[in-house]
Amino acid sequence: MEPSRLPPEAADKPQGLIAKDRLFSIAAYISSGEGVIAAALRKHVEEEARHLSGEDLLRVMDQLYEQISSLLQSTDATENLLALHAIDALVDLPAGGPSKVSKLANVLKNVFEVKRDPEILVPASTVLGHLANVGGALTGHEVERQIITTALGWLGGDRVEYHRFAALLILKEMAENAFTVFKNYIPEFVDVILIALSDPKLVIRERASEAMRALAHSNMEAVADCAAKKAKLEGIDMISDLPDETLYTIISFLRTDDAVRTSALSRRWRHLWRSAPINLDTAHIPGFCPEKIEVVTQILSEHQGLIRRLHLNSLYFADLDGWFRSPALGNLQEFDIYVAKFDDPLPLSVLRFAPTLRVARIAHCSFFEDEEVPVFNFPHLKTLVLGFLYVDEDTLHSILSGCPVLEDLLLDSCSGFSRLVINSPTLRSIGVCNDQYGDSEIVIENAPCLERFVRSDSFRTTPVIWVIRAPKLEILGSLTDNFGKLKLGTTVSQEMVAGNLEMLMRSVKVLRITSSGPNLDAVLRFLRVFPLLEKLYIMSSLQMDMQNVQHHEPTDVIESLDHIRYVELKCYSGKKPDVDFAKFFVLNAKVLELMKFVVEGRCTQKWRTDQYKCLQFDSRASPNALCDFRSYSGHADPTGCIRRGYHHNEHVLSMANPFDSSSCSHCRDA
């Protein structure tokens, strides 16, 4: 889409007046890629620089900054991302004067203060890193100092989760791209990063580890660079001035190979890693299976410090029972094992880790099926992931009963049980993916802190889902449009009665449904049950005989139509059943902001125009509503984020929106 052109009547105007008229519309590139907006902005600014004086050019730049700020204030993620692409394009342009870095940094700082979605915060941090890398001037340093100080404050004292998440993104980028400034804040950084590394949220711990690795790598590069130039190390190798206890902690959060490499930094570091708590991860040990087994055996027998995290992946013929009994694993906090053979039972010696474990991931094995069910007691376990394994019903419920502080639970491709009952005062997130069993029940009997229940569409048969007590449940799905499979009530024996206000779930804000047809009548039944719904995701399979006639009468009040802001239709074909289904929301959702269509096949401009007419979009109930048609192709998965196995699926327990693949870095980077 082309930007607005200079009108012919402006030809005789003075240059200063022309500058006011030569408006470049960033929003005109809303459907374009980041490369297109970058090229267009570059061309526009270069042309203006050739024709305008310095003062008038600054006025043009200010107009661009205002557009960027306006787009970032929008609630539409597409407009936010467009603004970030525009900032990224402006960073490398020489125009804008010394104030450009400061103005762009202040805009980005506001993004981190206000936005909550990782799909915005992550690319914003990347743009900030780019800005810090090329800023260079003293003004850039001052801005970097201000941003670093803010991030450290959020991480040290602010308990707002999205602020802590944003702070870690900022600190990672500053460590990588502004180390000459960042090195002055290393002591404060270490103080707050140790808190983040023990955060109960997985996503916070992961980002903290990334920030710590970025700092270690930047410090290594700085030392190596100075050594090559025969410069003094004082004032640059700031980390080596820290006490051993702090350095041990830093090493303990590095990858196995990175921890070993620290011995090459200086004499001060040479023997630190040998006695420091470390992460032992076979994925970061070079060589084939026999070589890896030999290295692991040697480390477990010779390492003088404790091992904080153990990650073992598909090591055939390894002596797991012998490894698990190693004294080096006496204070293990994170356990992650993928057994080589699916039918191999997990050694019972794994239970010796129970008193100290905080995170446990166990996959591709059988779970004590030949043993009498032991007593499970995991007093500190907060995250439990079971994937691709057989576990019988009694053992599963015994494990869950032995986790008094559990917050995150993921069951992925598990078998051996047909009924899952949740009774937990602390559980916040549940994910159930690709289960292999037949007719089943999932009963959320008492979960006062549960905020999300996410399941995949890959069930061979749809389970009955009971929600008895979950007063804080906000994210739910995927449900099928078989309404009889969802039961709400105060007891397991009580059937749900439509229209009973006491049975409605007013806490649910985000819902995902799979629908054959799609079936409008079936989906409307769900809308009556979740009256305060704000985001609705529909995964549909087309049935040409579906008659989505609008049965909605003025007396038939559907309260959720006064609250739904976002509707997404996946696998949209544009045929009559799809159109009639979507048209209902266009004509009845009163506060709708965006309706997104994930389209099978290409959607040309002509096809989009025809769809606007068929949907009667000019008669929409919400004057602020927008339509967004997107094709999916290649590896982009229209079914959502859950798809790649338990290491990937674990992210649905903490990501802002588990039903949106665009907010998952694993899906975007596939």
Side-chain angles (χ1 to χ4, degrees), residues 442 444 465-470 473 476 486-489 505:
I442 299 174
I444 303 175
I465 298 178
W466 288 92
V467 182
I468 298 173
R469 184 169 185 265
L473 186 63
L476 177 61
L486 174 67
K487 299 183 183 299
L488 308 179
M505 295 197 66

Side-chain angles (χ1 to χ4, degrees), residues 243-299:
D244 282 359
E245 292 75 15
T246 303
L247 296 177
Y248 287 154
T249 304
I250 292 175
I251 293 173
S252 73
F253 288 100
L254 296 177
R255 296 178 3 166
T256 306
D257 48 354
D258 288 337
V260 175
R261 289 191 185 105
T262 60
S263 62
L265 283 176
S266 67
R267 292 181 181 177
R268 173 78 170 83
W269 287 79
R270 187 165 297 169
H271 303 292
L272 285 173
W273 83 274
R274 296 184 183 278
S275 53
I278 64 169
N279 294 325
L280 179 51
D281 188 342
T282 58
H284 303 138
I285 296 176
F288 296 102
C289 187
E291 290 89 350
K292 291 188 177 188
I293 290 176
E294 183 177 350
V295 171
V296 172
T297 302
Q298 183 177 359
I299 291 176

Side-chain angles (χ1 to χ4, degrees), residues 289 293 296-297 312 314-323 340 344 347:
C289 187
I293 290 176
V296 172
T297 302
L312 306 174
S314 297
L315 297 181
Y316 290 90
F317 309 114
D319 180 15
L320 295 180
D321 186 62
W323 285 357
D344 283 353

Side-chain angles (χ1 to χ4, degrees), residues 171-417:
L171 294 173
K172 172 183 176 293
E173 293 297 332
M174 293 296 101
E176 289 180 343
N177 297 286
F179 184 71
T180 55
V181 176
F182 188 76
K183 67 181 183 180
N184 300 314
Y185 297 89
I186 288 177
E188 296 92 334
F189 170 80
V190 171
D191 287 342
V192 297
I193 205 69
L194 296 181
I195 300 172
L197 288 166
S198 301
D199 195 278
K201 289 290 185 180
L202 171 67
V203 67
I204 299 296
R205 298 197 302 272
E206 288 181 336
R207 294 296 178 177
S209 296
E210 291 176 5
M212 181 64 80
R213 282 197 294 270
L215 174 62
H217 289 160
S218 295
N219 190 71
M220 291 179 198
E221 291 172 2
V223 173
D225 183 59
C226 287
K229 297 177 181 179
K230 297 183 179 181
K232 292 182 180 180
L233 298 182
E234 287 77 16
I236 295 180
D237 186 8
M238 302 292 291
I239 297 182
S240 290
D241 292 335
L242 297 171
D244 282 359
E245 292 75 15
T246 303
L247 296 177
Y248 287 154
T249 304
I250 292 175
I251 293 173
S252 73
F253 288 100
L254 296 177
R255 296 178 3 166
T256 306
D257 48 354
D258 288 337
V260 175
R261 289 191 185 105
T262 60
S263 62
L265 283 176
S266 67
R267 292 181 181 177
R268 173 78 170 83
W269 287 79
R270 187 165 297 169
H271 303 292
L272 285 173
W273 83 274
R274 296 184 183 278
S275 53
I278 64 169
N279 294 325
L280 179 51
D281 188 342
T282 58
H284 303 138
I285 296 176
F288 296 102
C289 187
E291 290 89 350
K292 291 188 177 188
I293 290 176
E294 183 177 350
V295 171
V296 172
T297 302
Q298 183 177 359
I299 291 176
L300 289 176
S301 61
E302 298 180 5
H303 189 71
Q304 300 169 16
L306 295 175
I307 293 174
R308 175 183 174 273
R309 178 178 184 266
L310 180 66
H311 179 193
L312 306 174
N313 188 7
S314 297
L315 297 181
Y316 290 90
F317 309 114
D319 180 15
L320 295 180
D321 186 62
W323 285 357
F324 292 168
R325 298 179 188 277
S326 169
L329 300 176
N331 193 35
L332 195 68
Q333 297 180 30
E334 188 167 337
F335 179 71
D336 189 339
I337 181 169
Y338 190 98
V339 180
K341 295 182 179 179
F342 179 77
D343 56 352
D344 283 353
L346 195 65
L348 204 58
S349 54
V350 72
L351 294 180
R352 70 179 288 255
F353 308 142
T356 57
L357 274 183
R358 285 168 170 76
V359 178
R361 304 180 186 91
I362 303 171
H364 209 258
C365 62
S366 57
F367 214 64
F368 313 130
E369 84 271 22
D370 295 328
E371 303 280 351
E372 183 179 346
V373 177
V375 175
F376 296 100
N377 182 21
F378 300 90
H380 303 293
L381 192 67
K382 293 189 175 182
T383 299
L384 175 62
V385 179
L386 302 178
F388 302 92
L389 58 76
Y390 178 93
V391 53
D392 65 54
E393 197 166 302
D394 290 340
T395 302
L396 176 61
H397 290 130
S398 180
I399 293 172
L400 296 180
S401 298
C403 301
V405 297
L406 190 66
E407 294 184 0
D408 300 310
L409 171 67
L410 175 66
L411 302 176
D412 189 354
S413 303
C414 295
S415 60
F417 60 95

